[in-house]
Amino acid sequence: MWDYYLGGAHNFAIDRQAAEQILLLHPDMPLVAQVTRAFLRRVVEFLVGQGIDQFLDIGAGIPTVGSVHEIAQRFTPTARVVYVDHDPVAVAHSQAILSGAANAMAIRADARRPQEILDHPAVRNLLDWVAQPAC
Ligand SMILES: C[S@@+](CC[C@H](N)C(=O)[O-])C[C@H]1O[C@@H](n2cnc3c(N)ncnc32)[C@H](O)[C@@H]1O
């Protein structure tokens, strides 16, 4: 539904139907999604400017339409991103989208169990907890 509000192509008919129902009550939802994405873009640009080149995006949804790795790698091509979501459909879509992406992957995990995220092999392989920002 979020992807639909963002104008993305990674949504199903049932998502669009439910999203349209919500629009009847909250017609500003597409604006909310777009403003949220714009905030995300500004945050990532700021962090990259501070030398941050690793991102753990928890509650990422589907990395479409201005995702963290696209923004970060535009400035720092070697930037690394792990997307985390607990929705298996979002994760499956994410993994398909990211199959050809360098230094970006998606895992299924729950924000309510942060240690499982930190211990996940993909997180341990891709992110370096010791590295310092390259200022
Ligand atoms: C609004 S959507 C994606 C928002 C996206 N971060 C953005 O800025 O556009 C929120 C996502 O958070 C995920 N989520 C909700 N609770 C979660 C939890 N406990 N652990 C991991 N992901 C969660 C949902 O599955 C959903 O994909």
Side-chain angles (χ1 to χ4, degrees):
M1 289 163 61
W2 199 250
D3 178 72
Y4 176 63
Y5 291 142
L6 287 170
H10 300 278
N11 49 74
F12 295 107
I14 190 68
D15 302 322
R16 296 188 287 275
Q17 286 169 17
E20 289 292 339
Q21 290 293 310
I22 290 174
L23 283 180
L24 296 175
L25 296 172
H26 301 286
D28 289 340
M29 279 307 292
L31 181 63
V32 170
Q34 288 157 20
V35 167
T36 303
R37 274 282 146 142
F39 174 72
L40 176 73
R41 176 180 52 74
R42 291 197 301 276
V43 168
V44 174
E45 287 179 357
F46 173 79
L47 292 174
V48 169
Q50 299 299 306
I52 304 293
D53 63 358
Q54 304 184 84
F55 297 85
L56 184 58
D57 184 345
I58 301 172
I62 298 172
T64 177
V65 193
S67 54
V68 171
H69 77 287
E70 287 173 353
I71 302 162
Q73 292 178 355
R74 200 179 305 144
F75 298 94
T76 305
T78 55
R80 291 166 279 171
V81 181
V82 178
Y83 294 102
V84 181
D85 207 286
H86 73 159
D87 178 345
V89 176
V91 175
H93 272 279
S94 302
Q95 290 173 338
I97 291 169
L98 297 171
S99 62
N103 293 330
M105 58 178 50
I107 63 167
R108 185 176 179 207
D110 194 317
R112 293 166 293 186
R113 292 194 291 277
Q115 196 61 47
E116 290 179 17
I117 297 174
L118 299 177
D119 290 340
H120 194 287
V123 173
R124 295 179 72 89
N125 284 336
L126 196 59
L127 303 185
D128 180 353
W129 300 117
V130 180
Q132 298 291 313
C135 298

